[in-house]
Amino acid sequence: MRVHPIAVPDPPLRSSYGLHAPYALRTIVEIESKGGAIGLAETHGAESTAEALRALAKEIAGADPYRLLGSLAAQNGDSPSTGGASIDRSQNYLVPGENPADLKARVTSAIEIACLDLIGKTVGRPVCDLLGRARDEVCFSAYAFYKHAGGGGQGVDTQRDEYGEARTPEGLVKQVQQLIAEHGFEDVKLKAGVLDPDIEIETIRQLREALGPNAPLRLDPNCAWSVETSVRVGKALQAELGNGGYLEDPTASLAGMAEVRRRLLEAGVNTPLASNVAVTSFADLPETIRTDAVQIVLCDPHYWGGIRQAQHLGKICDTFGLGLSMHSNTHLGVSLMAMAHAAACTPSLRYACDTHYPWQSAACEIVKGGRIKFDRGRIRIPDQPGLGVELDYDRLALGRERYTRCGYRKRDDAAEMRKRVDPNWQRTLPRW
Amino acid sequence: MRVHPIAVPDPPLRSSYGLHAPYALRTIVEIESKGGAIGLAETHGAESTAEALRALAKEIAGADPYRLLGSLAAQNGDSPSTGGASIDRSQNYLVPGENPADLKARVTSAIEIACLDLIGKTVGRPVCDLLGRARDEVCFSAYAFYKHAGGGGQGVDTQRDEYGEARTPEGLVKQVQQLIAEHGFEDVKLKAGVLDPDIEIETIRQLREALGPNAPLRLDPNCAWSVETSVRVGKALQAELGNGGYLEDPTASLAGMAEVRRRLLEAGVNTPLASNVAVTSFADLPETIRTDAVQIVLCDPHYWGGIRQAQHLGKICDTFGLGLSMHSNTHLGVSLMAMAHAAACTPSLRYACDTHYPWQSAACEIVKGGRIKFDRGRIRIPDQPGLGVELDYDRLALGRERYTRCGYRKRDDAAEMRKRVDPNWQRTLPRW
């Protein structure tokens, strides 16, 4: 196993966590078989992830990838009866990838995905075929952000600002139109919780007007709102999110989400609530279902323990009448393909997946052949075995150099916000 | 694909369904690849199963077994949101394998298992490794029945009556001791609902005395009791079933089971209720969990849509704090190995699996090398690829001949009861 921490130029995108730093950190994992086949995975960056992966090196050296699939699943002790507890709520509002409570699932995920890629490459099959392909194409959504001016990276890494500043409803509409023109997305997700809720409501209204009646719209303020504000926004946008749209994590905690849901239903608003903050592990599901706190769960093979755990989650959602969508972090092509394969073998996933992929530029891709292209917002599962991608080692080396050079060692959007926008900025929940 | 209906001599075992006929019907499925590898499965017999399998022949001819795994999963439309309904309750008390409502899952299961065997044989891997092995050995339980005198089969097929008659508590104790002496089982399941509940209570008491304090005991009257009787038996046996023991389907319907559970808990009796009659599909799980009707679900890869669906069920049980065990029908070695592999790749299965296997004799086994042996009640996953068994075609031919000759075309334990024991016998629920 080889573990490569890399840094990727990232533009100044805003969320309720703060501001994206000029570099996003990722970790590339290679597991090489005796026969010379190489299984790949990409996961969260940060020193802690690379260390946790390296700590498993002894267990992986000489192991059989098929047997690792079994022992990894057993390590996903996140269900009540296997002794795993629900993830510590007090840590739950850290930026994604920085919660120590879900480190284990993030690490086992990466190893599972690399093993699946290795097995697929060895037997000559796409990963989704190993696990039961349900579709050939996977839909992704346009992920729109309030954004400061500037591209990703610093100094020699500075990227062209392809999308420009977007800090008004009009700016967001333009950004979304540009994302759609370039990639063909049919669904739109707006990262909210950044500006006053009335401005964000107005942004959704203008998006609806600009995009016509069919595009499903999602709004995700990452817990920035009180129950009161969540209900107010839910009512205001009742007619605007459209069929297939949803309100994601408007407020913090399952109890808060359940309260929002109850009050929206009382007001006759049936907009589903989605979550990847209140629900982050299997242990969260019983209460989620009992209290109707969430109607759509966002899986993410990087977080939930791997692609097969995402399949389990899909079956649970299907069984209990919940919808399933997919969460994304800043990522490159290996993760994009892992997400596409996970979606392709999870039949109950019927929402377009989130992806940050359009926010990275061609200069930083580390897969051979460069950036993977969306066709009408979709990724078609390639005929190549495994995940269908290989590493470009020159470009990987550039990513490692950037990591060494950039100085960032963990994600801290609040610190970045203080550094570049407001020296007194703190993440307070609820903000509105 | 080749479909072989076979008949297997079966001794006169009793249950609340009636009496086992002299022949049990099974269907053996072979799927042969272009390269000449053969994937095997064994499933329920009866004309209807063979016909339903043959109806899929066109879909299977020329198909890729990996792709079949995907399309079969999609056909398991038994979840509320995929349009599948819960299985028709009015049909639910037919003998296992004769409910038209679960025919589809039985058929897709057989094809899934044959595809997994074929893939395993092609890539040189045991089936449980393809799906994530969680253990190397699988525990089975001693399955004890009230039994009339006589072995299985008729005429030339007549088998020696290895176990003799057992229609009293003492007879059952002797039978269980013989099963344990021969196979080393550590758990015991008594098929009940046959004699007066007080005699069955006494049977359990004598079993507990004979076996010492540790053996987990299970009691399964297949819905023969009223809520009242179920509660009475549950109270009477509070101290007798032991750690790991349970009461299985004492009464009919989820509502009945929930009522029994509520009343037992009120009386301070925490004996878990298990089910494979009230809960037979994913669509049954939400109500089961909401009403606490069942604490242990019996999976069966033959019924639930295959081994991967059994894995999903295992994850659901784990997530919601339910236990998972495994149901059995009369079966031969191919099914035994499918059950062993399913259990081996389902980490939350922590109860010994049921098996009827000891009730069949060496003469009727159709796998090469003859009967598979239990070691201390366990099956060790063999190193051979796939399920680890191949067909003995001479013995398969004998099974087909028996099928042609015996005249039985579907399972009807009530008709057999009328024919051989009591011409007026009817299955009435509750009987007590």
Side-chain angles (χ1 to χ4, degrees):
Chain A
M1 179 168 69
R2 293 180 289 272
V3 176
H4 308 282
I6 61 169
V8 181
D10 199 21
L13 307 178
R14 287 282 298 274
S15 75
S16 82
Y17 293 107
L19 179 69
H20 282 212
Y23 295 90
L25 307 178
R26 300 294 285 171
T27 309
I28 304 296
V29 177
E30 294 182 275
I31 297 183
E32 184 166 347
S33 73
K34 266 190 207 163
I38 295 175
L40 300 178
E42 174 187 342
T43 185
H44 294 268
E47 208 69 1
S48 57
T49 306
E51 273 166 28
L53 281 161
R54 287 192 188 111
L56 286 177
K58 243 191 241 168
E59 217 173 302
I60 286 160
D64 172 349
Y66 284 99
R67 298 302 288 271
L68 279 173
L69 291 185
S71 57
L72 291 172
Q75 284 175 32
N76 276 311
D78 58 355
S79 305
S81 56
T82 46
S86 180
I87 285 178
D88 179 4
R89 304 258 136 251
S90 65
Q91 299 285 319
N92 217 8
Y93 309 114
L94 294 172
V95 284
E98 290 297 340
N99 188 338
D102 57 26
L103 178 61
K104 195 170 182 179
R106 278 180 274 142
V107 166
T108 54
S109 296
I111 294 172
E112 187 233 37
I113 292 168
C115 286
L116 289 170
D117 186 37
L118 183 56
I119 291 169
K121 283 170 174 166
T122 307
V123 303
R125 290 291 177 156
V127 163
C128 66
D129 283 350
L130 302 178
L131 301 176
R133 183 192 299 221
R135 57 178 69 87
D136 300 320
E137 285 186 337
V138 174
C139 294
F140 288 83
S141 62
Y143 207 158
F145 288 82
Y146 296 103
K147 178 182 171 299
H148 292 253
Q154 290 176 321
V156 294
D157 297 321
T158 304
Q159 305 293 305
R160 192 169 70 82
D161 184 7
E162 208 185 326
Y163 284 88
E165 187 181 80
R167 299 176 68 184
T168 61
E170 295 73 17
L172 259 293
V173 169
K174 189 176 147 283
Q175 182 191 96
V176 166
Q177 286 172 328
Q178 191 176 342
L179 282 163
I180 290 175
E182 192 155 342
H183 304 287
F185 299 120
E186 292 170 357
D187 297 55
V188 176
K189 168 158 168 168
L190 172 63
K191 183 59 91 184
V194 173
L195 304 180
D196 185 277
D198 287 321
I199 302 178
E200 300 190 339
I201 289 171
E202 177 60 19
T203 304
I204 291 288
R205 289 205 172 122
Q206 292 198 16
L207 279 171
R208 172 57 65 216
E209 206 179 303
L211 301 174
N214 295 327
L217 302 181
R218 308 166 184 179
L219 191 61
D220 174 16
N222 286 116
C223 312
W225 301 335
S226 65
V227 167
E228 200 61 40
T229 302
S230 302
V231 171
R232 181 167 73 81
V233 176
K235 286 182 188 172
L237 295 179
Q238 172 172 20
E240 305 289 344
L241 298 179
N243 189 17
Y246 52 75
L247 189 53
E248 181 180 333
D249 288 313
T251 199
S253 89
L254 281 177
M257 293 287 281
E259 176 72 10
V260 171
R261 171 67 169 169
R262 193 163 43 244
R263 288 180 52 186
L264 283 177
L265 284 180
E266 270 171 23
V269 178
N270 196 19
T271 303
L273 303 185
S275 180
N276 73 296
V277 177
V279 184
T280 58
S281 75
F282 289 93
D284 295 324
L285 292 169
E287 191 189 341
T288 302
I289 289 165
R290 195 178 51 74
T291 61
D292 190 27
V294 167
Q295 292 73 52
I296 298 166
V297 177
L298 274 72
C299 69
D300 182 336
H302 301 89
Y303 270 108
W304 280 82
I307 296 179
R308 294 166 310 151
Q309 300 294 327
Q311 289 186 301
H312 287 317
L313 177 61
K315 187 73 186 188
I316 293 177
C317 287
D318 199 33
T319 298
F320 289 88
L322 297 176
L324 183 72
S325 188
M326 192 184 289
H327 164 265
S328 155
N329 277 118
T330 298
H331 64 88
L332 296 176
V334 180
S335 276
L336 180 66
M337 292 314 300
M339 293 161 72
H341 281 273
C345 67
T346 304
S348 62
L349 196 145
R350 281 180 287 268
Y351 291 93
C353 302
D354 290 345
T355 178
H356 287 65
Y357 198 63
W359 293 107
Q360 272 49 65
S361 54
C364 52
E365 183 53 274
I366 46 96
V367 301
K368 252 188 206 168
R371 302 261 304 160
I372 295 158
K373 285 188 180 44
F374 295 98
D375 175 20
R376 296 162 300 131
R378 295 157 202 218
I379 295 292
R380 198 174 170 81
I381 299 297
D383 294 332
Q384 282 79 13
L387 295 173
V389 285
E390 289 178 57
L391 289 180
D392 179 326
Y393 288 94
D394 293 337
R395 288 170 165 281
L396 181 68
L398 292 176
R400 294 194 66 146
E401 283 167 29
R402 259 185 249 115
Y403 182 83
T404 306
R405 196 168 58 223
C406 76
Y408 287 94
R409 288 300 174 264
K410 59 177 236 171
R411 181 174 170 188
D412 189 343
D413 290 18
E416 201 62 28
M417 190 73 182
R418 285 190 287 276
K419 195 160 117 190
R420 298 211 279 168
V421 180
D422 171 1
N424 298 313
W425 197 87
Q426 292 291 337
R427 186 173 198 229
T428 51
L429 295 182
R431 183 172 299 278
W432 289 282
Chain B
M1 178 169 70
R2 293 181 288 273
V3 176
H4 308 282
I6 62 170
V8 181
D10 200 21
L13 307 178
R14 288 281 297 273
S15 75
S16 81
Y17 292 108
L19 178 69
H20 283 210
Y23 296 89
L25 307 179
R26 299 294 284 170
T27 309
I28 305 296
V29 178
E30 293 183 275
I31 297 182
E32 184 166 345
S33 72
K34 265 190 206 163
I38 294 175
L40 300 177
E42 174 187 340
T43 185
H44 294 269
E47 209 67 0
S48 56
T49 307
E51 272 165 29
L53 280 161
R54 288 192 187 111
L56 286 178
K58 241 190 244 170
E59 217 173 303
I60 287 161
D64 172 349
Y66 283 99
R67 298 303 287 271
L68 278 172
L69 292 185
S71 57
L72 291 172
Q75 284 175 31
N76 277 311
D78 58 356
S79 304
S81 56
T82 46
S86 180
I87 286 179
D88 179 6
R89 304 257 135 251
S90 65
Q91 299 284 319
N92 215 10
Y93 309 113
L94 293 173
V95 284
E98 291 296 341
N99 188 339
D102 57 26
L103 178 61
K104 193 170 183 178
R106 278 180 275 142
V107 166
T108 53
S109 296
I111 295 173
E112 187 232 34
I113 292 168
C115 286
L116 288 170
D117 186 37
L118 183 58
I119 292 169
K121 283 170 173 164
T122 307
V123 304
R125 290 291 178 156
V127 164
C128 66
D129 282 351
L130 301 180
L131 301 175
R133 184 191 298 221
R135 56 177 70 85
D136 299 320
E137 285 186 340
V138 175
C139 294
F140 287 84
S141 62
Y143 206 157
F145 288 82
Y146 295 104
K147 178 183 169 301
H148 291 252
Q154 289 176 323
V156 295
D157 296 322
T158 304
Q159 305 294 304
R160 193 168 71 81
D161 184 9
E162 208 186 327
Y163 284 87
E165 186 181 81
R167 300 176 66 184
T168 61
E170 295 74 17
L172 259 292
V173 169
K174 189 176 148 284
Q175 181 192 96
V176 167
Q177 285 171 328
Q178 192 176 342
L179 282 164
I180 291 174
E182 193 154 341
H183 303 288
F185 298 121
E186 293 170 356
D187 297 57
V188 176
K189 168 157 168 171
L190 172 63
K191 183 59 92 183
V194 174
L195 304 179
D196 184 278
D198 286 322
I199 303 178
E200 300 190 339
I201 289 170
E202 177 59 19
T203 304
I204 290 289
R205 289 205 172 123
Q206 292 197 16
L207 280 171
R208 172 56 65 216
E209 206 177 304
L211 301 174
N214 294 328
L217 302 181
R218 308 166 184 180
L219 190 62
D220 174 15
N222 286 116
C223 314
W225 303 335
S226 65
V227 168
E228 201 61 39
T229 302
S230 303
V231 172
R232 181 167 74 81
V233 176
K235 285 182 188 172
L237 294 178
Q238 171 172 19
E240 305 288 345
L241 298 180
N243 189 15
Y246 53 75
L247 189 52
E248 181 180 331
D249 288 313
T251 201
S253 87
L254 281 177
M257 294 286 280
E259 176 71 11
V260 171
R261 171 67 170 172
R262 192 162 44 244
R263 289 181 51 186
L264 284 176
L265 284 181
E266 270 170 25
V269 178
N270 197 18
T271 304
L273 303 185
S275 180
N276 74 295
V277 178
V279 184
T280 59
S281 75
F282 289 92
D284 296 324
L285 292 169
E287 191 189 342
T288 303
I289 289 165
R290 195 179 51 76
T291 61
D292 191 26
V294 167
Q295 292 72 53
I296 298 166
V297 178
L298 274 71
C299 68
D300 182 337
H302 302 89
Y303 271 109
W304 280 82
I307 296 179
R308 294 165 309 151
Q309 299 296 326
Q311 289 186 302
H312 287 317
L313 177 61
K315 187 73 187 188
I316 292 177
C317 287
D318 199 34
T319 298
F320 289 88
L322 296 176
L324 184 72
S325 188
M326 192 184 289
H327 164 265
S328 155
N329 277 119
T330 298
H331 65 88
L332 296 176
V334 180
S335 276
L336 180 65
M337 292 314 299
M339 293 161 72
H341 281 273
C345 67
T346 304
S348 62
L349 196 146
R350 281 180 287 268
Y351 290 94
C353 301
D354 291 344
T355 178
H356 287 66
Y357 198 64
W359 294 106
Q360 273 50 64
S361 54
C364 53
E365 183 53 273
I366 44 96
V367 302
K368 252 188 205 167
R371 302 261 302 160
I372 295 157
K373 286 188 178 46
F374 294 99
D375 175 20
R376 295 162 300 129
R378 295 158 202 217
I379 295 292
R380 199 174 170 78
I381 299 296
D383 294 331
Q384 282 78 14
L387 294 173
V389 286
E390 290 178 57
L391 288 180
D392 179 326
Y393 287 95
D394 293 337
R395 287 170 166 281
L396 181 68
L398 293 175
R400 293 195 67 146
E401 283 166 28
R402 259 185 250 115
Y403 182 84
T404 306
R405 194 165 62 223
C406 75
Y408 288 94
R409 288 299 174 264
K410 58 178 236 170
R411 181 174 171 189
D412 188 345
D413 289 19
E416 202 62 28
M417 190 73 182
R418 286 190 287 275
K419 193 159 118 192
R420 300 212 279 169
V421 180
D422 172 359
N424 298 313
W425 198 86
Q426 292 292 338
R427 187 173 197 229
T428 50
L429 296 182
R431 183 171 299 279
W432 289 282

